[in-house]
Amino acid sequence: MLTRTSTQSLTEQLAGRFAERIRTRLLAPGARLPSVRECARQHGVSPHTVVAAYDQLLAQGLVEARRQRGFFVRDAIAAQAGPALAPVGPQVQPPVAQPVAADASALIRGMFHRPSDKPQPGMGVFPAEWLEAPHVTAAVRRVTSSRALQDFSLQYGEPAGDGGLRRSLATKLAAINVPAGPEQIVTTVGATQALDIVSRTLLRPGDPVMVEEPGWALEFARLEALGMRILPVPRKADGPDLDVMERYCQAGDGHKPKLFISVSVLHNPTGYSLTPGSAHRVLQLANRYDFHIVEDDTYSHLAPEHATRLCAMDGLQRTIYVSGFAKVLAPNWRIGFLAASPDLVSRLLETRLLATLTTPSLFERALAWVIDQGQLRRHAERLRLRLEGARGRTVKLALAAGCTLASEPAGLFGWVDTGVDTDVLTQRMLDEGYLLAPGSLFHARRPPSTLMRINFATAQDATFWKVFSRVRVQL
């Protein structure tokens, strides 16, 4: 909120707030700023203060005034912001008269540049304090105190990743019935790179790819940036819409999908998990129509026992398993991995080598120790227990605020129907210091939506829901 005790004037504070959002693309090129009267009402200042702030933005070249229409973010901002702020993929521009909600890259940047120190319901990660654990620093101390530190620091690591970690991962996969020896595993810089390696290995620009919808916004943006043709597959409670998948597969030569990307367990954003019957039919389609399946098991650490996984049923014949540890252990270690059939893993490794040569052995050895000592398992159990309590509290607050649940609460995320346009709601809540994840982000073509994804760990704050209720009734 703006404050009259700040060393900056109200005009400077307001202009600075808009400038920051424009430069980080929380306000995208072409977005319309609130009217002078509306902005004054939102921030509790005079219209004169708003006009002065907009004049400063005009002078900085961040916005432009359009006669009889208002102030808009300049289209040239993307070029001025520099490569680090370029969007992940092509931006779908809504009509200029409507506020533009955070895009995929803006939501990711929100992980690094929070709009305020308040809990952020739109975040995709656990709060840092939830991840604090002595075993993380103990593991690093253990590997750095070894006499071998200098030896492996002064040379490249193993091409496929640290051998000790791959053995630990093979054991971990066996526990969920995914058959993969260490030689079938390649470590990566996070699960996101693993997904990228698979795409670059199996696909070429223009290839059709089936992706669950709603789905993770970054995946849509990443595939678009690679030039792929996205085929949205509606995600239902028991799994993907099999009828839609079959219609895609029956297309003529050159139009049939080559890949299906799925989050089988604790799907983001709905929390759905695949049923055995649906999994069996998905694998039948893959065999009949000759396409690969990437199973993104990022949330495996939070999954219930005996969860159904395509890779376990298929034995890594047409499936590729992808997972990582940033969500539950140490985000900055950036350790992910993939597992595939012996004939495919060599191709995937070649792509990985061309991108990053090897991965950091130091953190991989530390992770292997955390896994082998049982520390990861115990840490994940504590997270699941704490998340269960947070989920119950958040659901009560959401229902009391007039929302409904679009899916059964499970895992880290909730899929909530607000009853209002969440693109507009997102912009209003940004003014209050809260970052939301609007429903349109989770669809390939960004249609308007009344849904939003909430993080159960960061949305259990009663103050947020009071502000949410106040803003919602004003829309």
Side-chain angles (χ1 to χ4, degrees), residues 63-401:
V63 303
E64 61 184 5
R66 299 180 187 174
R67 187 175 180 83
Q68 304 298 323
R69 297 179 65 188
F71 294 86
F72 295 79
V73 178
R74 288 187 57 192
D75 291 336
I77 294 305
Q80 294 175 7
L85 296 180
V88 175
Q91 303 299 297
V92 180
Q93 297 294 340
V96 294
Q98 298 295 325
V100 181
D103 62 13
S105 54
L107 193 62
I108 296 166
R109 281 192 296 271
M111 294 166 56
F112 308 105
H113 184 85
R114 297 157 61 93
S116 73
D117 59 359
K118 302 172 183 176
Q120 300 300 319
M123 298 287 276
V125 295
F126 281 109
E129 58 270 20
W130 283 44
L131 301 181
E132 292 176 357
H135 59 258
V136 172
T137 52
V140 174
R141 282 198 303 268
R142 183 177 180 85
V143 297
T144 54
S145 62
S146 168
R147 286 187 174 182
L149 173 62
Q150 181 170 331
D151 292 338
F152 73 74
S153 293
L154 298 179
Q155 57 186 323
Y156 288 110
E158 298 179 54
D162 181 73
L165 175 58
R166 287 186 288 118
R167 287 189 292 273
S168 300
L169 293 174
T171 301
K172 193 172 187 304
L173 288 177
I176 58 173
N177 299 313
V178 176
E183 71 282 356
Q184 292 176 251
I185 296 172
V186 177
T187 64
T188 59
V189 183
T192 301
Q193 192 199 31
L195 291 166
D196 198 58
I197 288 169
V198 174
S199 300
R200 293 178 185 275
T201 302
L202 298 181
L203 303 172
R204 296 293 177 269
D207 282 349
V209 182
M210 293 184 290
V211 184
E212 291 172 324
E213 187 178 68
W216 177 213
L218 177 60
E219 193 59 24
F220 294 130
R222 187 184 65 78
L223 289 169
E224 285 184 346
L226 292 175
M228 308 308 171
R229 187 157 64 89
I230 296 174
L231 304 178
V233 177
R235 177 61 187 257
K236 302 190 295 184
D238 62 346
D241 190 317
L242 296 160
D243 293 333
V244 170
M245 290 183 68
E246 186 150 26
R247 285 198 295 272
Y248 285 142
C249 293
Q250 290 172 344
D253 290 342
H255 298 284
K256 291 194 294 187
K258 295 186 177 181
L259 189 67
F260 172 48
I261 301 175
S262 173
V263 180
S264 299
V265 180
L266 299 179
H267 172 259
N268 177 14
T270 64
Y272 292 146
S273 290
L274 190 68
T275 63
S278 182
H280 180 66
R281 288 192 60 194
V282 170
L283 293 172
Q284 284 183 322
L285 289 175
N287 284 308
R288 185 185 312 152
Y289 294 105
D290 190 25
F291 62 84
H292 282 90
I293 300 170
V294 178
E295 187 167 43
D296 180 357
D297 204 15
T298 299
Y299 305 100
S300 62
H301 313 283
L302 307 176
E305 291 186 12
H306 312 301
T308 299
R309 291 178 172 86
L310 291 162
C311 289
M313 296 180 66
D314 172 68
L316 294 178
Q317 295 180 54
R318 288 197 171 274
T319 52
I320 302 163
Y321 183 91
V322 167
S323 190
F325 300 88
K327 286 284 189 291
V328 299
L329 188 62
N332 200 32
W333 287 12
R334 303 302 303 139
I335 299 176
F337 69 99
L338 58 85
S341 62
D343 60 330
L344 181 56
V345 75
S346 59
R347 294 174 57 195
L348 296 168
L349 176 57
E350 182 177 348
T351 302
R352 209 291 305 276
L353 289 172
L354 291 174
T356 59
L357 292 182
T358 60
T359 45
S361 299
L362 176 66
F363 290 124
E364 290 187 351
R365 292 192 179 187
L367 175 59
W369 184 84
V370 171
I371 295 173
D372 295 343
Q373 296 297 311
Q375 300 285 1
L376 176 63
R377 176 181 54 79
R378 291 189 287 272
H379 175 65
E381 288 174 354
R382 289 191 294 270
L383 278 181
R384 286 195 295 269
L385 184 61
R386 189 172 183 180
L387 181 59
E388 184 179 351
R391 192 161 51 237
R393 288 187 289 273
T394 300
V395 168
K396 290 180 180 178
L397 289 167
L399 294 175

